[in-house]
Amino acid sequence: MSNYPVEAIRTVALVGQGDSGKTTLAEALLHKSGAITAAGTVERGDTVCDFDPLERDYRHSLSSALVHFQHDGAEIRLLDTPGFPDFIGQAIPALAAVETALVVVNAQNGIELTTRRMMAWAAERGLCRMLVVNKIDAERVDLPGLLAQLREAFGREVLPLNLPADGARRVVDCFFNPAGTADFSSVAEAHQALVDQVVEVDEDLMARYLEQGEVTPEELHAPLERALREGHLIPLCFVSARTGAGVAELLDVLARLAPNPTEGNPPLFYKGEGEAALAFRSEPDPARHVLAHVFKVVIDPFVGKLGIFRVHQGTVTRDTQLFVGEGRKPFKVGHLLRLQGKRYDEVDRLVPGDFGAVAKVDEIEFDAVLHDSHDEDHIHLQPLAFPVPMQGLAIEPKRRGDEQRITEVLQRLVAEDPCVKVDYHPATHETVLRAMGELHLRYLLDRMAGGFKLEVATRPPRVPYRETITRPAEGHHRHKKQSGGAGQFGEVFLRVEPLPRGAGFEFVDAVKGGVIPGQFIPSVEKGVRSVLAAGPLAGFPVEDVKVTVYDGKSHSVDSKDVAFQAAGRRAMLAALRAAGAIVLEPIVAIEITAPEARLGDLAGDLTGRRGQVGGTEPLAQGLTLIRGQVPLAELEGYAGRLKSITAGQGAYSLELSHYDTVPQEVQQRLAAGYKAEQEED
């Protein structure tokens, strides 16, 4: 394998709304660069990035894919990501692995939900952002209008690097080229606007520019990278991945203008935990200690668990000894891999900016930091914010004897996708698989059946209600058991108080004089926490409660762990019953994209589900974005209802907003149902 400097590497993530053509664009870039001899298509199912059988069936990306290619001396590392909101858990991690986010926009549909989200998330991570308008040769597109919309939505920093020409059959460069003819606007004016924007970040260059009237492209390189880092410039490129218009020019932009690892904003790492954690930036120096971040985990049926990482600092070679997070025992890199779609290529070394993978290391998990020195113990990357998966299905194996196997399969699904969760509800004995939406759940079930040969039965789960308290109260219990020989004794007095919504649980030891010996306080806490799993009112988990243990009694012979666990549990139950327990329900933020003509029907439907419309926003092509909040319990069957109202043209996404008190009649029904279950048991 040839050696190359860090400065030659470009790391890029293709992100944006589903159906914007990201995978087709990746295929066009691979073909134009010479990495593949012929471009595949999504329709034929033969693209490099969509290689999973389910991706061929669904005809869109379901997981992020890695490819690499060379152009004009640049080593380009590219991540193709899914664009549908259901698969956002595969797209967000890409933002932790790259310097540049290429946000792809469908020229026909304009600014869509994921476009806005990715622009915002990329800005939060300090990434250099570029917009790529794809499908410029499609019917009924208004490219001048779309450019104006993009500038209105994302600021005057959005400036075209090129413009369509000859009826969108090609594009003409506006950065290096000061003149030319385009389908709309003026190449000269676009060039002038770019130069004016870039020189603003360099006072000396701006003074020279104002005095002389021109600057060379070489003089613009350093201030251009600074403008990208600071978000002072958001370049825009026009392409048609289908015909190839603008693809060669986009390759030039990536090679000549996109930042290398030494020019982008280095990622923020933290050493330590909580408020005491110290923030620092990695250095893209091949000679320093290794710091690499695992941004993707794949469970491959042939090679096992695959940890895919980005090297941020140092050099990883075969036979390197690496630690995983806080692990005390290193693993030896036996096979160092680079991914090209589904193909695994062995390499000798990886430097800062490179993507790589290691197989069969059980300790590797998503978001882990790999390092080669104990000096880097307790280090983690700036955490990514993932939406909470709210759509759920209760599942159980169809075949007896598959109980252990279903646990193993679910663990694999969770390991691969941070937006997949599995909950077990002891009160209902339900195992609930949670995902981002119905499409996401369908994909997971298809993976179970096809990839793991596991058939499961499903049903709607109970809504994940919670319980909390409304007033302070006290609880007391004396546990005393004598049955010949050594007995059991423990007595606990405690106080419960409500905490602000979302605060969780707090345990305070306020015992004075050693009336409860210190070694038994953890036992009391264990007993208290055992109550939190199923509250006394309706059997739901208890949260937002502060528990203070302030008094008790012990016995020099008979006191033991089990006694104080029992006393803590009974005292906690007594306190909760006296503390005005209430049931809380999850309220989700909902975003609906639908035809503007259906706005009134959708707003009325949300109101009928105890929801509220928070606002609307016009989108392109006669679509409207509706934002609102609605109880999750009221959304059963909503996908079908939305499809009916919008004739299949609507889409929605959910994200947990907060928990709020359920109406009194709902609480009475839930409490009565729980009481009946208890009596049956």
Side-chain angles (χ1 to χ4, degrees), residues 142-152 158 160 163 184 236 238:
D142 177 12
L143 297 180
L146 178 56
L147 176 58
Q149 290 175 11
L150 290 167
R151 298 201 71 195
E152 181 180 354
V158 175
L163 289 167
F184 66 89
L236 184 149
F238 290 92

Side-chain angles (χ1 to χ4, degrees), residues 402-422:
D402 274 351
E403 289 79 10
Q404 179 60 35
R405 192 148 174 273
I406 196 174
T407 299
E408 295 172 357
V409 170
L410 290 174
Q411 287 174 345
R412 292 184 176 190
L413 296 177
V414 170
E416 290 184 329
D417 192 334
C419 284
V420 174
K421 304 294 181 189
V422 176

Side-chain angles (χ1 to χ4, degrees), residues 189-200:
E189 290 178 3
H191 174 80
Q192 189 73 47
L194 284 165
V195 174
D196 290 347
Q197 188 76 3
V198 169
V199 298
E200 285 182 1

Side-chain angles (χ1 to χ4, degrees), residues 314-515:
T315 301
V316 180
T317 62
R318 265 188 290 190
D319 299 331
T320 296
Q321 301 270 358
L322 291 178
F323 297 93
V324 181
E326 299 169 22
R328 308 305 297 173
K329 184 179 178 182
F331 71 90
K332 183 178 179 180
V333 179
H335 299 279
L336 190 59
L337 306 174
R338 173 178 290 157
L339 276 64
Q340 184 77 323
K342 66 179 179 181
R343 194 181 79 215
Y344 304 143
D345 300 326
E346 283 210 48
V347 295
D348 297 320
R349 65 191 278 272
L350 297 172
V351 297
D354 272 328
F355 301 153
V358 290
K360 299 179 181 178
V361 181
D362 292 337
E363 298 82 5
I364 283 187
E365 296 179 347
F366 171 76
D367 210 28
V369 170
L370 309 181
H371 55 95
D372 62 354
S373 166
H374 282 304
D375 291 342
E376 276 74 46
D377 286 350
H378 307 287
I379 283 180
H380 55 277
L381 191 67
Q382 178 186 358
L384 293 156
F386 290 96
V388 178
M390 298 301 298
Q391 199 89 12
L393 278 176
I395 64 172
E396 59 185 15
K398 285 185 176 180
R399 293 188 298 265
R400 294 188 62 180
D402 274 351
E403 289 79 10
Q404 179 60 35
R405 192 148 174 273
I406 196 174
T407 299
E408 295 172 357
V409 170
L410 290 174
Q411 287 174 345
R412 292 184 176 190
L413 296 177
V414 170
E416 290 184 329
D417 192 334
C419 284
V420 174
K421 304 294 181 189
V422 176
D423 298 331
Y424 176 72
H425 298 283
T428 61
H429 304 292
E430 282 186 335
T431 297
V432 179
L433 176 65
R434 297 200 179 278
M436 295 304 299
E438 294 184 10
L439 181 62
H440 196 189
L441 282 171
R442 192 178 88 202
Y443 162 69
L444 295 172
L445 295 176
D446 286 344
R447 285 235 19 226
M448 287 185 186
F452 299 104
K453 310 302 180 187
L454 178 67
E455 297 291 336
V456 297
T458 65
R459 62 180 181 276
R462 294 179 68 179
V463 175
Y465 293 106
R466 299 285 186 264
E467 294 184 29
T468 191
I469 59 176
T470 57
R471 58 178 180 266
E474 297 196 351
H476 159 248
H477 184 76
R478 173 184 287 189
H479 177 81
K480 186 175 183 181
K481 189 175 182 181
Q482 197 76 38
S483 57
Q488 297 179 9
F489 181 86
E491 187 170 6
V492 171
F493 292 82
L494 56 78
R495 182 185 309 111
V496 297
E497 304 168 64
L499 289 175
R501 198 78 78 234
F505 171 75
E506 183 179 346
F507 182 85
V508 178
D509 173 15
V511 173
K512 302 287 176 61
V515 292

